Amino acid sequence: MKTHGIGTMRGYLRSDGRKGIRNVVAVGYLVECAHHVAREIAIPFREHDVHVIGFPGCYPNDYADRMMERLCTHPNVGAVLLVSLGCESFNKYALERAVRATGRPVKTIVIQAAGGTRKSIDEGRAFIAEQRALLDAAPTVPMDVSELVIGTVCGGSDGTSGITGNPAAGRAFDQFVEEGAACIFEETGELIGCEHIMAARAATPELGVELEASVAKAARYYATLGYGSFAAGNADGGLSTIEEKSMGAYAKSGASPITGLIKPGDIPPRGGLYLLDVVPDGEVRFGFPNINDNAEIAELIACGSHAVLFVTGRGSVVGSAISPVVKICANPETYRRMEDDMDVDAGRILEGKAGLAEVGLEIHDLVVSLGAGARTKSEQLGHQEFILTYKSFEPIGPACLPAA
């Protein structure tokens, strides 16, 4: 598939062979009590690819450990600063060792040992200034589209999302899969009613069973909670039921065969189309699976996504730390109101000004351009939203990656 007027992709080569399209310094706080210090450390560098991520909880959680390790060793990350209060349960030195093992520079600041807020901030800023200078001089290597991992999510959905934005994202996914890239769609709680259609697209019958089971799990989880993944804003935007919302959300997966089923932190082993199961395993313990769109984005990035396609009908302004977020606006009226935040006007389809194939190619080419140095609207505006909560997952089974 040829791109149109796009420069050659280049990446930052990591020790595991993956390449990043960004060279970010990640500042990770390991408990909410360290969040302010981490944010203050990063503020002078906010326009220089220094991004704050973190886990707010004081009590241990295997999911949080796994997420933070995956994020700190993401191909878009070149160096890491960990900020600890000192008495939280997070195993900071295990995370530091995991990052160091990849060859990335890493430093841990323990606020209680460093002497408090000001001393910790000064120490952290000195480390970042040093690392940022080194990363800015780092060489790049050629990068192929087949080396990309791309996620997709929809939020602020309305009646136009399933007609324009989501299917256009699906067309882009089909192009990327054809080129050998890995594409990840989610979430199982917004695919209720589409499980049998998905199963028919599975690479093997056994994978089809796993896909259906993941959606059934989500339905049980939401039934226990007493509500589903259907917000008041969805209804105000013209959606009537979770099944109607599901049909629109499902459209962003495109039409390629489904290669595998993964969970947060699982990295696709090869190109193809993957479903990300974001609903925790076991009994309902921690409440709503994803309390907002940024939780889903973080999980897609933890699976290695270099960039995330975000489809919205009613409008959203969020971006993310670590990986660029491409805003695809499904509603032409919303696009005209919020053009400064939107990258793609998929609402042109509704007005007869463009076709699905044309907008799908536009999305595809925009993602490729990110690997040639282009920046999304959310990056230009400084959006670096991030949230991480408590969850619990069991490992995926052998049927989930049948080609492995």
Side-chain angles (χ1 to χ4, degrees), residues 10 12 14 21-27 41-42 44-51 76-81 105 124-140 322 375 384:
R10 82 290 180 273
Y12 299 93
R14 309 304 179 191
I21 63 171
R22 297 290 182 265
N23 213 9
V24 168
V25 177
V27 180
I41 289 171
F45 309 95
R46 60 180 308 215
E47 296 182 2
H48 301 281
D49 279 346
V50 176
H51 296 185
N76 285 353
V77 172
V80 177
L81 176 66
R125 288 179 178 175
F127 173 80
I128 289 179
E130 177 185 8
Q131 296 305 319
R132 194 63 268 167
L134 293 171
L135 293 176
D136 289 343
T140 59
I322 297 180
R375 294 271 168 164
Q384 295 177 15

Side-chain angles (χ1 to χ4, degrees), residues 6 36 43 88 126 144 167 196 260 263 270 285 314:
I6 298 173
H36 173 76
I43 280 177
E88 71 277 355
D144 191 75
H196 305 306
K263 296 181 182 181
R270 64 190 56 76
R285 299 177 60 195
R314 303 206 68 192

Side-chain angles (χ1 to χ4, degrees), residues 315-339:
S316 175
V317 300
V318 303
S320 179
I322 297 180
S323 294
V325 174
V326 176
K327 292 293 188 19
I328 302 165
C329 189
N331 190 318
E333 294 181 0
T334 302
Y335 181 85
R336 285 189 280 270
R337 259 196 328 271
M338 302 181 65
E339 185 174 354

Side-chain angles (χ1 to χ4, degrees), residues 36-45 81 83 107 109-111 114-130:
H36 173 76
V37 170
R39 185 170 58 246
E40 287 295 314
I41 289 171
I43 280 177
F45 309 95
L81 176 66
V83 185
K107 179 182 180 66
I109 294 176
V110 181
I111 296 170
T117 298
R118 286 193 175 89
K119 292 178 181 177
S120 298
I121 291 172
D122 290 343
E123 186 177 348
R125 288 179 178 175
F127 173 80
I128 289 179
E130 177 185 8

Side-chain angles (χ1 to χ4, degrees), residues 1-4 175 179 361 364-365:
M1 184 71 63
K2 292 184 177 180
T3 53
H4 303 276
Q175 294 174 52
E179 294 170 315
L361 181 60
H364 169 277
D365 287 358

